Amino acid sequence: MKERIHYTKPSVTDREVDFASDAARNGWGEKCYEYIGRFEEMFKQYTGAKYAISTSSCTGALHLGMAALGIGPGDEVILADTNWIATAAPITYLGAKPVLVDILPDSWCIDPDKIEAAITPNTKGIIAVHLYGNLCEMDRLLDIGEKYGLPIIEDSAEALGSFWNQKHTGTMGRFGTFSFHGTKAITTGEGGMFITNDEDLYDTVSVLSNHGRSSSQTKQFWPDMIGFKYKLSNIQAAIGCAQMERIEELITRKREIFAYYHQHLGGIDGIHMNPEQEGNKNSYWMPTVVFDKALGISREAAMDAFSKENIDARVFFWPLSALDMFEDVLQNTNAWDIPARAINLPSYHDLSIAQLDRVSSVIQDGLLR
Ligand SMILES: *Cc1c(COP(=O)(O)O)cnc(C)c1O
């Protein structure tokens, strides 16, 4: 059997290990928030956001941000049907309803026309998910937000390193969120980040994320409201600091991996890969191949071919509306149709050229023969 190729794996060097050891050994007492502060500073520096609050997950960051916007029972939040459930779950935690709309056929991100058609008097927000590093149509989305007075929330869990016309994802809408789960562009084991340029929203999320305790409250142990506990530890933040020192290297490597796949597969008739619109930078978190119907290659056939070669491929997200917890939305034709003929390719930073060739050849010499 050939050596196994995993689809994701973090890139961890001695630097991460040294920082984590230092935090474990010395990061207590007056130093207990030192790496957290540094990590948030580095994140602001890189993204250009004014404010950043680290969290234990992206799910938590979304929950905090939407709670701070006052989203609650009876409200609706519009998002793309194609997505990981982590974006929809916090909407339900607040008693609000996820409204699932279709995606665009090329970027696989939310379709702005479908958003407008889904807006009702109960709509309280729109979540833009930059899927697989691909960019949402931010100009259109921000116009829609403006026109209807609705906040645009950027779930950028998959798009650290992606820029829309020089602006980093997560900095264009009311707030942005990121994930540092082990599969993402950088990792802290588990972790997340909330960013915003809105001072009031930042203040509210700061209080909510600290169990409702305001920094101006002089009484000890005196929460002013019910908040949440979604904090990142100093040890996790230490790993994050080392990852942020290496961010350019990590994103560059992701782009090289995509470029290699694209060079081998992108030119083949009937194969579509992650797009990069003019003026944008795609961090290509997850290189993805969508096969035209005419090729007759199904998800199952592709998964099978990869598994025979001992390679982990990954299925394109199922439509959320296909899950038992939600009602089917069959008119979301792209969201229902594309996953049946699509696949995510392995993309961890340390993949060798020989491994990339093995992956490409499953499609070139296997599936297309
Ligand atoms: C990974 C991911 C999340 C969840 O991140 P956690 O840190 O695991 O909570 C949320 N949204 C999207 C789009 C993701 O890919």
Side-chain angles (χ1 to χ4, degrees):
M1 197 69 170
K2 287 177 190 149
E3 155 224 23
R4 181 146 203 92
I5 300 180
H6 300 275
Y7 70 81
T8 55
K9 206 159 50 169
S11 167
V12 174
T13 64
D14 287 347
R15 192 78 175 155
E16 283 81 0
V17 175
D18 289 348
F19 279 17
S21 307
D22 178 53
R25 212 180 293 281
N26 307 310
W28 309 104
E30 60 201 22
K31 287 179 154 189
C32 71
Y33 299 122
E34 204 169 81
Y35 279 109
I36 294 174
R38 252 167 84 184
F39 185 41
E40 290 169 351
E41 277 310 312
M42 291 172 95
F43 208 82
K44 284 192 279 183
Q45 184 83 29
Y46 181 71
T47 58
K50 271 202 195 132
Y51 307 101
I53 299 172
S54 56
T55 56
S56 52
S57 68
C58 179
T59 309
L62 283 164
H63 193 183
L64 285 168
M66 288 192 283
L69 291 179
I71 292 170
D75 294 340
E76 296 172 358
V77 178
I78 299 171
L79 71 159
D81 202 346
T82 298
N83 198 9
W84 175 227
I85 190 148
T87 317
I91 301 170
T92 69
Y93 301 164
L94 293 165
K97 184 179 174 221
V99 174
L100 304 168
V101 303
D102 208 4
I103 52 169
L104 294 166
D106 47 356
S107 68
W108 321 312
C109 291
I110 196 162
D111 182 337
D113 292 336
K114 302 289 159 58
I115 294 176
E116 269 198 279
I119 291 173
T120 74
N122 296 327
T123 307
K124 289 288 148 53
I126 297 162
I127 307 185
V129 177
H130 302 289
L131 200 85
Y132 300 144
N134 302 352
L135 289 129
C136 291
E137 294 292 324
M138 285 312 292
D139 292 346
R140 286 285 318 278
L141 296 191
L142 294 171
D143 281 350
I144 292 170
E146 187 99 356
K147 182 169 161 195
Y148 296 92
L150 292 170
I152 304 296
I153 297 161
E154 292 179 82
D155 180 351
S156 310
E158 304 180 6
L160 182 60
S162 285
F163 292 78
W164 171 267
N165 289 325
Q166 325 277 330
K167 294 200 186 98
H168 197 282
T169 55
T171 63
M172 296 167 275
R174 186 73 69 83
F175 71 83
T177 60
F178 295 84
S179 171
F180 310 127
H181 177 257
T183 55
K184 302 292 160 84
I186 69 164
T187 194
T188 57
E190 294 278 2
M193 192 72 80
F194 168 92
I195 63 172
T196 187
N197 292 324
D198 178 331
E199 188 177 356
D200 291 338
L201 188 64
Y202 167 72
D203 288 341
T204 309
V205 170
S206 303
V207 176
L208 282 178
S209 71
N210 196 22
H211 265 319
R213 289 180 294 178
S214 164
S215 57
S216 59
Q217 179 55 259
T218 49
K219 266 194 278 186
Q220 274 189 326
F221 294 117
W222 190 265
D224 296 292
M225 61 177 88
I226 296 285
F228 300 90
K229 183 65 192 295
Y230 285 134
K231 290 194 177 194
L232 191 73
S233 76
N234 198 51
I235 298 174
Q236 291 168 305
I239 298 175
C241 286
Q243 292 267 286
M244 284 308 288
E245 281 185 357
R246 299 175 54 225
I247 184 84
E248 295 295 349
E249 168 205 331
L250 294 172
I251 299 298
T252 300
R253 185 65 194 135
K254 279 286 198 182
R255 286 178 59 82
E256 283 169 4
I257 289 167
F258 179 84
Y260 197 84
Y261 284 139
H262 192 259
Q263 190 189 328
H264 287 75
L265 305 170
I268 299 173
D269 253 2
I271 284 193
H272 305 274
M273 300 184 71
N274 314 50
E276 185 175 60
Q277 305 97 324
E278 174 106 30
N280 294 348
K281 180 179 177 187
N282 190 330
S283 62
Y284 297 120
W285 171 63
M286 188 68 72
T288 300
V289 172
V290 176
F291 302 104
D292 264 355
K293 277 197 189 116
L295 292 178
I297 298 172
S298 67
R299 158 183 58 219
E300 287 72 23
M303 291 299 286
D304 216 41
F306 280 105
S307 138
K308 283 204 180 90
E309 290 298 316
N310 208 19
I311 296 169
D312 282 339
R314 208 176 83 145
V315 301
F316 194 98
F317 289 123
W318 308 95
L320 291 176
S321 70
L323 302 176
D324 289 346
M325 304 78 89
F326 303 111
E327 276 167 45
D328 287 5
V329 188
L330 296 172
Q331 69 262 35
N332 291 344
T333 48
N334 290 325
W336 279 71
D337 177 58
I338 291 171
R341 48 190 173 81
I343 197 119
N344 299 143
L345 304 178
S347 65
Y348 62 90
H349 308 86
D350 296 334
L351 280 169
S352 66
I353 297 283
Q355 288 173 318
L356 292 171
D357 276 337
R358 262 180 68 196
V359 175
S360 303
S361 84
V362 172
I363 295 177
Q364 281 177 298
D365 308 322
L367 289 166
L368 290 170
R369 272 294 124 87

